[in-house]
Amino acid sequence: MMFKKVSFIFLFSIGLSVNAQQAVPFRITKHNNIIVKTLVNKKDSLDLMFQIAMEDASISPERQRKADHIVFNNEEVSEKNTVQIGKLTVNNVRFFDNEITGHEADGKIGTGIFKGKAFKIDYDNSQFLIYDKMPDLKDYESTPLFSENGQFYIVADNVIDGKQEEVYFLLQSGYSGGILYSNQFADEKELGKKLNLTGERTLKNSAGKSIVTQQGILPFLKLGNTVLKGVTAGFFAGDLKTQKSNYFGADLLRRFNWIFDVERKTAYFKPSTYFSEAYYKMN
């Protein structure tokens, strides 16, 4: 009898571990960036921006907090760091030095913290959920996820000048706005003539170089069966044009809750509480 009881407890504990999930809290800034509080190498308390477009981590030259216990080599790289985020501890994290990051952040942290796990960006509850096994996907749509050099791309349909265009977008949580088009796409589609332009602004890239973008309105963006209307869209103007990818920015990412499978081949999404919020205006 005792054997049966112990066996039941053992099997029950196995069941729990298979379906275990871990929650990692974050906060969302007014610029749509995700900030996680971290402790690096058990010494440095840093606010890092989650950057879905990278695997590793980095430190900004404009950081507000000290990072004295991250030791960089001559190539401005630091290997084998330990990062604690809430109850999650991640070892062997690589940091790069001197990379510009988002507002209110001392640096960036990428998707490497979820390596080998399925994970969810839960905007409704301001947390990441990490899964050993895929969760319930009821009410979620899915879209193929294309990975390249640790970056994720999805396909969405754009309606420009009455014509539907299929576009590959890089998921880019460091860009506060909606869409940022590549130079090639903007030039080929003559977006300066076809979008309703609303303004112009200057951005800084990760190297700190200034580049000029024009802002406009995309009438419709369709992701799966979900349609977004009046999406803010930008593209580069002037002589310095370095944009090689189309960005699906943080203002669009926050409008959905996302689940990414372990293999990073499929993204699942459903509207979040932010879905109908006013679009972010680039200053």
Side-chain angles (χ1 to χ4, degrees), residues 18 137 139 184 190 216 231 252 254 276:
V18 168
L137 297 171
D139 299 328
Q184 181 179 352
E190 298 182 309
V231 178
L252 294 179
R254 73 180 175 120
S276 299

Side-chain angles (χ1 to χ4, degrees), residues 13-26:
S13 66
I14 290 176
L16 282 178
S17 66
V18 168
N19 295 288
Q21 68 179 36
Q22 189 167 9
V24 178
F26 61 71

Side-chain angles (χ1 to χ4, degrees), residues 229-244:
K229 299 178 181 179
V231 178
T232 55
F235 57 94
F236 287 100
D239 295 327
L240 184 58
K241 294 182 178 181
T242 59
Q243 189 65 23
K244 297 180 180 179

Side-chain angles (χ1 to χ4, degrees), residues 139-159:
D139 299 328
Y140 280 83
E141 292 187 67
S142 66
T143 186
L145 191 67
F146 304 93
S147 300
E148 183 178 319
N149 299 322
Q151 298 180 320
F152 305 141
Y153 294 81
I154 59 173
V155 176
D157 290 323
N158 301 236
V159 177

Side-chain angles (χ1 to χ4, degrees), residues 193-259:
K193 298 177 182 178
K194 295 180 179 178
L195 291 184
N196 177 23
L197 300 182
T198 58
E200 185 176 284
R201 73 183 296 263
T202 300
L203 292 171
K204 282 189 176 181
N205 61 17
S206 60
K209 294 182 179 180
S210 295
I211 43 184
V212 177
T213 65
Q214 288 187 329
Q215 302 297 312
I217 302 295
L218 177 69
F220 300 101
L221 177 72
K222 185 179 180 184
L223 178 60
N225 294 316
T226 304
V227 177
L228 293 149
K229 299 178 181 179
V231 178
T232 55
F235 57 94
F236 287 100
D239 295 327
L240 184 58
K241 294 182 178 181
T242 59
Q243 189 65 23
K244 297 180 180 179
S245 300
N246 301 298
Y247 282 177
F248 192 96
D251 189 29
L252 294 179
L253 284 167
R254 73 180 175 120
R255 295 173 190 276
F256 301 91
N257 292 317
W258 300 84
I259 297 174

Side-chain angles (χ1 to χ4, degrees), residues 6-281:
V6 171
S7 297
F8 173 76
I9 293 173
F10 178 69
L11 290 171
F12 181 69
S13 66
I14 290 176
L16 282 178
S17 66
V18 168
N19 295 288
Q21 68 179 36
Q22 189 167 9
V24 178
F26 61 71
R27 67 179 175 88
I28 306 172
T29 72
K30 65 180 181 180
H31 301 285
N32 301 324
N33 300 132
I34 290 176
I35 303 292
V36 291
K37 287 191 172 296
T38 69
L39 182 64
V40 182
N41 296 329
K42 300 183 179 181
K43 298 287 186 179
D44 297 324
S45 296
L46 299 172
D47 282 6
L48 300 181
M49 182 195 78
F50 174 66
Q51 174 53 285
I52 197 171
M54 67 187 289
E55 289 183 309
D56 299 309
S58 67
I59 294 298
S60 169
E62 299 175 355
R63 62 184 178 273
Q64 298 298 308
R65 297 164 187 82
K66 293 182 179 180
D68 296 337
H69 298 87
I70 304 175
V71 181
F72 293 95
N73 60 24
N74 293 335
E75 284 75 42
E76 297 188 331
V77 178
S78 179
E79 304 279 0
K80 298 182 179 180
N81 297 281
T82 298
V83 177
Q84 294 171 255
I85 310 171
K87 295 181 180 179
L88 175 68
T89 299
V90 187
N91 298 312
N92 298 316
V93 178
R94 178 188 294 117
F95 275 85
F96 295 94
D97 201 5
N98 293 316
E99 287 192 3
I100 299 297
T101 188
H103 300 275
E104 304 177 33
D106 303 305
K108 295 176 284 191
I109 189 80
T111 58
I113 60 176
F114 307 122
K115 187 175 182 180
K117 303 285 186 179
F119 73 96
K120 177 180 182 179
I121 307 177
D122 183 358
Y123 281 99
D124 287 347
N125 298 294
S126 296
Q127 63 182 0
F128 297 109
L129 293 176
I130 306 170
Y131 300 101
D132 292 325
K133 184 179 178 181
M134 286 296 287
D136 183 10
L137 297 171
K138 183 182 178 182
D139 299 328
Y140 280 83
E141 292 187 67
S142 66
T143 186
L145 191 67
F146 304 93
S147 300
E148 183 178 319
N149 299 322
Q151 298 180 320
F152 305 141
Y153 294 81
I154 59 173
V155 176
D157 290 323
N158 301 236
V159 177
I160 301 171
D161 196 27
K163 297 180 180 179
Q164 186 166 300
E165 301 281 352
E166 188 178 78
V167 178
Y168 281 80
F169 285 103
L170 170 67
L171 300 184
Q172 180 36 286
S173 56
Y175 177 66
S176 297
I179 289 172
L180 183 62
Y181 286 110
S182 68
N183 303 138
Q184 181 179 352
F185 186 86
D187 292 342
E188 286 181 357
K189 305 303 178 184
E190 298 182 309
L191 296 185
K193 298 177 182 178
K194 295 180 179 178
L195 291 184
N196 177 23
L197 300 182
T198 58
E200 185 176 284
R201 73 183 296 263
T202 300
L203 292 171
K204 282 189 176 181
N205 61 17
S206 60
K209 294 182 179 180
S210 295
I211 43 184
V212 177
T213 65
Q214 288 187 329
Q215 302 297 312
I217 302 295
L218 177 69
F220 300 101
L221 177 72
K222 185 179 180 184
L223 178 60
N225 294 316
T226 304
V227 177
L228 293 149
K229 299 178 181 179
V231 178
T232 55
F235 57 94
F236 287 100
D239 295 327
L240 184 58
K241 294 182 178 181
T242 59
Q243 189 65 23
K244 297 180 180 179
S245 300
N246 301 298
Y247 282 177
F248 192 96
D251 189 29
L252 294 179
L253 284 167
R254 73 180 175 120
R255 295 173 190 276
F256 301 91
N257 292 317
W258 300 84
I259 297 174
F260 299 89
D261 67 355
V262 177
E263 294 81 13
R264 309 294 188 252
K265 291 183 178 180
T266 307
Y268 301 87
F269 61 94
K270 71 175 181 179
S272 73
T273 55
Y274 295 99
F275 185 80
S276 299
E277 291 282 316
Y279 286 100
Y280 179 82
K281 293 183 179 180

